[in-house]
């Protein structure tokens, strides 16, 4: 591992806290040192209070923040003299410890300090770094860990047998330190590495040096021996796609029994080597690489057992294996639970499939990706530990203690509350402008994952970019789609299944308009209108319903129709007839799919002009129909409704949100008008 220390950058730091922020970011950006939210760092320095009195302050990472994005405010200030009084007592419960540290905080508004704060306080060096480095875990998660650590580090690092983080570990660390005050740091068994010094640069560089030594030891062993032999082969891309398209909805349905999940599929080389190996099935069931990983990945993954040709695996068999995993978790919970606990979601977060790869789950794509990223590090540890010795982990009892430890779960509770559509995935057509764009924004703002599509690829990709930027998260993806092309539509739905594990809603909005009297209407124009305005909705809903039914988690389909369905206007035959067919199709879909909890509803807007593509090329002809100037068209439409109001894309988006969300959970086959009140178009 290379040191990222840059003297020029470091010189810009104006105090010890700045140096702490600088080196914390260096540690945080090295994924082999710590994963999301893991690891912690501290410095001891002099700070003045409002009255100008000087105090010795421990600045230690607050719980819930991520080292790589460190800022000064993330490090909780604690009065050192006060917190060191904890050395005088022999026992402290976790709750007492948290309350005690809070009483020692120099700023009551600072975040709750890391659960390892006392350890940072007790070791009498000013700068301390703690990581859960992959290479260190590979040494300590072995059968002969103590002997191996001794071989690599001699007395330079103190060996601390496994104790749950908190008061007892801090106390134990302190006692061991007194026995070997010359040590440069410590190895916490099955947990991680600590290095210390009286300046930040040395502490950081010691961390890199110690990890590098472990890496060298592993590399040397790897030259002598392969960690495991392969028993399966990675399937070609098209066959993996076939497997995923068949199985992802089954997986999504089964793991969503308690909490709906979004899936994420990945297949980096190290993961493939692991899922295809003989040992993978065994070591993946031993236990976590470090408690820090377990918070996101659970104690074990599900390693799918299948026939020699994994493509022959039956859907029911896979569902059975997932359910068995959950049942085993329930048993594990029942066996170890204590008063006041409640069972976490028992379904797997990591599913490994020989020949295919890794499928992870989360409340959104981002969380599922984080689980995958963390498990890649778990895999790295399991492979390396198996190379140098035999992989070992915490006992089931000790793992449970951490798995259900409120102090750890606190980290997850720091996340902002979930949005209304946070676990939902949907397809939106005709999203490049106007109504479609407004719907995409509205749904994404509510947390939905939205695949926005349009025949205009460039524009729809731009829409996705804009919305993601606006909401500050990756929630919208833009793809080209011609809704009249059955192959393209099917490929789009398949891609969603592979990417998210399934889908929950469709907003079918793509449409075109054509103005002509029927006796002058060309067959081509008639056909084209039918093709986009009715066949397009048929193709999209046909492909989507198949997945929704297989997934069996309900669903919502929304058709953006038109006021013209109920109150057609002259010269608009091709459009109105096709739209009427669309509405009838929607009603049939509602009738056919109510049994599966799939709701199908329709929105009838009238004359939406803002940023709409529908009026391109028909403004002139439509104005002629009404005997007005093209510039008067907006006013004409506005005047014909009871409220004399303009209909905006956002108004239609509001209705789409209503139908997509559970706000309309008992409504199907319904037409909602968004027309300011056009009496002739009242649904009846
Ligand atoms: Zn730790």
């Amino acid at each position: 591992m290379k040191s990222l220390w840059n003297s020029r950058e470091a010189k810009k730091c104006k105090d010890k806290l700045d140096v702490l922020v600088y080196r914390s970011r260096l540690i945080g950006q090295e994924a082999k040192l710590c994963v999301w939210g893991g690891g912690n760092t501290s410095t001891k320095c002099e700070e003045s209070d409002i009255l100008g009195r000087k105090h010795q302050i421990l600045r230690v990472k607050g719980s819930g923040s991520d080292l790589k994005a460190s800022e000064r405010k993330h490090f909780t200030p604690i009065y050192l003299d006060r917190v060191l009084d904890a050395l005088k007592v022999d026992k402290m419960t976790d709750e007492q410890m948290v309350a005690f540290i809070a009483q020692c905080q120099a700023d009551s508004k600072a975040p709750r300090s890391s659960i390892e704060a006392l350890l940072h306080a007790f070791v009498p060096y000013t700068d301390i770094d703690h990581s859960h480095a992959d290479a260190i875990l590979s040494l300590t998660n072995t059968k002969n860990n103590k002997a191996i650590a001794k071989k690599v580090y001699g007395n330079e690092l103190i060996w601390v047998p496994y104790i749950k983080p908190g008061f007892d570990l801090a106390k134990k660390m302190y006692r061991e330190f007194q026995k070997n005050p010359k040590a440069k740091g410590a190895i916490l068994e099955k947990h991680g590495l600590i290095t210390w010094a009286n300046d930040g640069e040395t502490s950081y560089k010691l961390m890199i040096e110690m990890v590098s030594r472990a890496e060298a030891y592993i590399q040397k062993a790897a030259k002598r021996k392969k960690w495991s032999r392969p028993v399966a082969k990675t399937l070609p891309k098209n066959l993996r796609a076939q497997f995923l398209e068949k199985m992802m909805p089954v997986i999504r349905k089964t793991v969503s029994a308690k909490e709906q999940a979004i899936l994420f599929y990945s297949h980096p080389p190290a993961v493939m080597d692991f899922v295809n190996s003989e040992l993978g099935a065994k070591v993946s069931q031993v236990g976590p690489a470090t408690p820090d990983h377990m918070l996101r990945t659970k104690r074990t993954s599900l390693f799918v057992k299948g026939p020699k040709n994994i493509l022959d695996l039956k859907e029911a068999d896979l569902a059975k294996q997932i359910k068995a995993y959950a049942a085993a978790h329930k048993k594990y919970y029942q066996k170890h639970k204590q008063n006041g606990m409640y069972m976490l979601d028992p379904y797997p977060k990591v599913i490994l499939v020989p020949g295919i790869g890794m499928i992870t789950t989360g409340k959104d794509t981002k969380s599922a990706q984080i689980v995958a990223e963390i498990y890649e590090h778990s895999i790295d540890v399991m492979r390396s530990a198996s190379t140098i010795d035999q992989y070992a982990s915490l006992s089931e009892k000790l793992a449970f203690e951490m798995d259900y430890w409120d102090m750890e779960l606190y980290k997850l509770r720091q996340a902002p509350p979930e949005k209304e559509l946070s676990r939902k995935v949907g397809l939106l057509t005709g999203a490049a402008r106007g109504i479609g764009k407004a719907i995409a924004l509205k749904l994404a703002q509510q947390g939905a994952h939205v695949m926005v599509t349009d025949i205009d690829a460039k524009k729809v990709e731009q829409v996705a970019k804009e919305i993601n930027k606006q909401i500050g998260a990756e929630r919208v993806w833009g793809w080209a789609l011609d809704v009249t092309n059955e192959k393209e539509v099917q490929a789009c739905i398949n891609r969603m299944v592979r990417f998210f594990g399934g889908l929950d809603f469709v907003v079918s909005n793509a449409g075109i308009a054509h103005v002509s009297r029927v006796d002058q209407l060309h067959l081509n124009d008639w056909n084209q209108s039918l093709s986009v305005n009715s066949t397009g909705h048929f193709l999209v809903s046909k492909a989507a319903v198949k997945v929704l039914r297989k997934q069996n988690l309900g669903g919502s389909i929304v058709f953006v129709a038109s006021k013209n369905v109920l109150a057609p206007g002259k010269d608009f035959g091709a459009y109105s007839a096709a739209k009427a067919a669309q509405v009838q199709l929607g009603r049939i879909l509602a009738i056919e799919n109510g049994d599966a909890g799939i709701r199908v509803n329709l929105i009838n807007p009238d004359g939406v002009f803002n940023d709409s593509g529908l009026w391109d090329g028909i403004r002139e002809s439509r104005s002629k129909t009404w005997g007005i100037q093209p510039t008067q068209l907006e006013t004409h439409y506005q005047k014909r409704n009871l409220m004399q109001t303009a209909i905006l894309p956002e108004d239609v988006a509001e209705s789409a949100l209503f139908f997509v969300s559970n706000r309309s959970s008992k409504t199907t086959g319904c037409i909602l008008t968004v027309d300011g009140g056009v009496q002739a178009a009242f649904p009846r």
Side-chain angles (χ1 to χ4, degrees):
M1 183 169 287
K2 280 212 172 74
S3 163
L4 301 174
W5 193 271
N6 179 322
S7 303
R8 242 196 3 239
E9 283 297 310
K11 269 193 194 127
K12 289 183 195 160
C13 297
K14 58 180 192 306
D15 57 14
K16 284 206 82 153
L17 181 53
D18 262 358
V19 177
L20 177 62
V21 170
Y22 173 65
R23 74 173 202 267
S24 299
R25 287 186 178 185
L26 295 188
I27 292 171
Q29 65 190 250
E30 178 56 81
K32 283 180 179 296
L33 277 181
C34 56
V35 291
W36 294 88
N40 42 62
T41 51
S42 71
T43 197
K44 298 179 182 95
C45 51
E46 199 177 67
E47 287 185 27
S48 300
D49 64 18
I50 290 171
L51 300 181
R53 295 172 300 183
K54 291 195 167 19
H55 299 276
Q56 285 302 309
I57 297 288
L58 166 71
R59 282 276 185 174
V60 63
K61 195 195 99 163
S63 194
S65 59
D66 196 18
L67 281 181
K68 67 174 169 287
S70 288
E71 289 175 40
R72 289 171 72 95
K73 65 175 184 199
H74 295 138
F75 295 91
T76 310
I78 294 170
Y79 291 115
L80 193 59
D81 55 341
R82 290 197 202 171
V83 82
L84 284 177
D85 281 345
L87 277 171
K88 295 176 194 156
V89 298
D90 294 325
K91 261 197 157 43
M92 231 187 226
T93 64
D94 295 333
E95 289 73 22
Q96 284 169 337
M97 180 183 73
V98 169
F100 171 70
I101 296 174
Q103 284 175 349
C104 301
Q105 272 187 216
D107 175 2
S108 59
K109 289 196 187 87
R112 186 205 269 200
S113 66
S114 153
I115 203 67
E116 280 148 344
L118 286 185
L119 190 152
H120 288 265
F122 292 170
V123 173
Y125 278 93
T126 59
D127 292 270
I128 300 177
D129 295 323
H130 168 47
S131 75
H132 309 124
D134 292 358
I136 298 292
L137 293 171
S138 306
L139 299 196
T140 88
N141 284 45
T142 52
K143 230 175 128 193
N144 302 294
N145 51 14
K146 198 174 172 181
I148 294 171
K150 186 95 188 159
K151 219 192 276 176
V152 180
Y153 301 110
N155 285 330
E156 286 178 79
L157 294 182
I158 295 166
W159 176 262
V160 185
Y162 180 81
I163 301 178
K164 192 172 87 169
F167 180 78
D168 292 342
L169 175 60
K171 229 20 206 304
K172 174 83 179 163
M173 179 73 257
Y174 177 69
R175 282 197 297 269
E176 294 299 324
F177 175 81
Q178 284 178 316
K179 285 187 219 160
N180 181 6
K182 281 190 183 146
K184 296 170 178 165
I187 287 196
L188 307 181
E189 185 186 11
K190 290 170 184 152
H191 174 167
L193 170 69
I194 306 173
T195 54
W196 49 64
N198 281 328
D199 66 280
E201 183 178 353
T202 311
S203 172
Y204 169 79
K205 286 186 173 167
L206 274 173
M207 167 79 57
I208 303 299
E209 183 199 327
M210 297 305 168
V211 172
S212 301
R213 278 206 236 168
E215 284 177 341
Y217 184 82
I218 295 163
Q219 272 163 16
K220 215 169 133 192
K223 275 187 194 146
R224 287 195 306 266
K225 174 193 153 197
K226 257 208 136 306
W227 80 281
S228 176
R229 74 184 180 94
V231 288
K233 259 200 190 132
T234 301
L235 292 185
K237 197 176 168 195
N238 63 329
L239 294 183
R240 275 184 284 135
Q242 193 184 316
F243 178 91
L244 293 170
E245 281 155 25
K246 179 175 149 198
M247 294 302 195
M248 289 290 254
V250 177
I251 296 175
R252 182 159 190 245
K253 178 202 167 198
T254 320
V255 300
S256 294
K258 197 167 174 206
E259 281 179 330
Q260 187 155 346
I262 304 279
L263 308 186
F264 176 69
Y265 165 66
S266 59
H267 53 93
V271 168
M272 294 319 295
D273 176 58
F274 190 75
V275 298
N276 291 336
S277 69
E278 187 179 32
L279 265 186
K282 208 173 125 203
V283 294
S284 60
Q285 305 308 303
V286 172
T290 168
D292 193 39
H293 290 191
M294 181 166 59
L295 184 66
R296 310 271 196 161
T297 65
K298 293 189 103 70
R299 191 174 68 88
T300 56
S301 54
L302 168 63
F303 200 100
V304 172
K305 292 182 198 79
K308 188 118 191 71
N309 181 358
I310 198 72
L311 294 174
D312 293 338
L313 180 66
K314 298 257 186 322
E315 292 172 22
D317 187 14
L318 179 57
K320 211 167 115 189
Q321 292 189 45
I322 296 170
K323 284 180 191 156
Y325 177 100
H329 184 94
K330 254 179 230 171
K331 238 169 132 182
Y332 153 79
Y333 169 75
Q334 294 292 352
K335 189 169 154 194
H336 302 287
K337 72 167 179 190
Q338 284 162 13
N339 282 345
M341 284 181 176
Y342 62 93
M343 191 175 73
L344 302 171
D345 186 351
Y347 288 89
K349 296 268 177 232
V350 180
I351 298 174
L352 304 170
V353 190
I356 304 291
M358 170 162 73
I359 295 146
T360 50
T361 79
K363 64 179 177 187
D364 52 30
T365 299
K366 175 91 182 164
S367 338
Q369 279 169 341
I370 290 178
V371 173
E373 209 179 292
I374 292 177
Y375 202 76
E376 278 178 46
H377 291 281
S378 298
I379 283 178
D380 187 24
V381 172
M382 291 178 207
R383 289 165 79 219
S384 299
S386 305
T387 308
I388 55 180
D389 189 28
Q390 190 182 323
Y391 178 70
S393 175
L394 299 178
S395 68
E396 188 186 283
K397 188 168 177 286
L398 290 176
F400 181 85
E401 218 177 75
M402 288 302 295
D403 208 358
Y404 276 81
W405 192 29
D406 195 59
M407 303 290 142
E408 277 289 285
L409 298 173
Y410 176 82
K411 281 192 199 170
L412 294 184
R413 287 201 300 272
Q414 295 309 290
E418 282 188 41
K419 299 237 171 92
E420 188 174 7
L421 298 176
S422 98
R423 292 165 184 268
K424 304 285 181 203
V425 173
L427 170 67
L428 169 62
T429 68
R433 349 179 3 180
I435 294 178
K437 196 172 156 186
I439 293 175
L441 175 63
K442 176 67 81 184
L443 298 180
Q445 279 171 332
Q446 295 304 323
H449 301 66
V450 195
M451 199 52 61
V452 294
T453 60
D454 202 281
I455 198 148
D456 189 339
K458 257 202 190 140
K459 252 203 175 123
V460 86
E461 276 164 23
Q462 190 56 34
V463 164
K465 238 195 226 162
E466 272 171 35
I467 295 179
N468 287 333
K469 203 172 153 202
Q470 193 174 338
I471 63 171
E474 205 185 6
R475 271 298 202 268
V476 180
W477 291 261
W479 286 343
L481 177 66
D482 173 0
V483 293
T484 65
N485 182 324
E486 186 170 18
K487 259 196 187 152
E488 266 189 41
V489 169
Q490 189 57 53
C492 174
I493 297 284
N494 287 348
R495 199 170 164 191
M496 287 187 72
V497 167
R498 298 197 303 270
F499 196 69
F500 300 109
L503 79 160
D504 303 295
F505 66 85
V506 173
V507 180
S508 194
N509 170 63
I512 52 165
H514 183 79
V515 177
S516 169
R517 285 172 58 91
V518 175
D519 56 10
Q520 284 160 24
L521 182 59
H522 287 291
L523 178 61
N524 279 350
D525 293 332
W526 166 261
N527 281 342
Q528 207 199 355
S529 177
L530 274 160
S531 171
V532 177
N533 295 324
S534 62
T535 309
H537 301 280
F538 155 66
L539 292 175
V540 167
S541 46
K542 178 184 172 183
V545 160
K546 275 193 207 161
V547 178
L548 290 174
R549 291 195 73 93
K550 183 168 177 181
Q551 195 182 245
N552 203 11
L553 292 167
S556 171
I557 295 176
V558 182
F559 280 179
V560 178
S562 165
K563 159 254 161 203
N564 280 278
V565 170
L566 300 172
K570 62 179 177 175
D571 300 344
F572 227 25
Y575 181 76
S576 302
K579 281 286 178 185
Q582 179 203 0
V583 167
Q584 204 67 340
L585 173 74
R587 287 167 162 163
I588 302 290
L589 281 164
I591 296 166
E592 288 176 354
N593 295 292
D595 65 326
I598 300 164
R599 300 180 295 109
V600 186
N601 291 292
L602 309 123
I603 303 173
N604 279 3
D606 186 28
V608 175
F609 287 89
N610 295 36
D611 187 31
S612 169
L614 200 77
W615 302 94
D616 294 351
I618 66 158
R619 180 177 277 270
E620 295 273 329
S621 46
R622 210 63 196 126
S623 312
K624 221 191 258 165
T625 303
W626 305 119
I628 52 173
Q629 292 300 315
T631 47
Q632 295 175 310
L633 207 58
E634 275 90 339
T635 330
H636 170 81
Y637 277 86
Q638 204 168 319
K639 281 213 173 126
R640 78 180 186 187
N641 70 54
L642 297 171
M643 300 173 77
Q644 309 251 309
T645 187
I647 313 303
L648 305 176
E650 292 72 27
D651 300 322
V652 185
E654 229 12 276
S655 314
L657 169 62
F658 174 70
F659 280 143
V660 164
S661 70
N662 278 338
R663 300 179 196 192
S664 60
S665 63
K666 303 289 163 63
T667 304
T668 190
C670 171
I671 293 179
L672 186 58
T673 60
V674 187
D675 58 7
V678 177
Q679 200 173 340
F682 281 180
R684 64 191 84 88

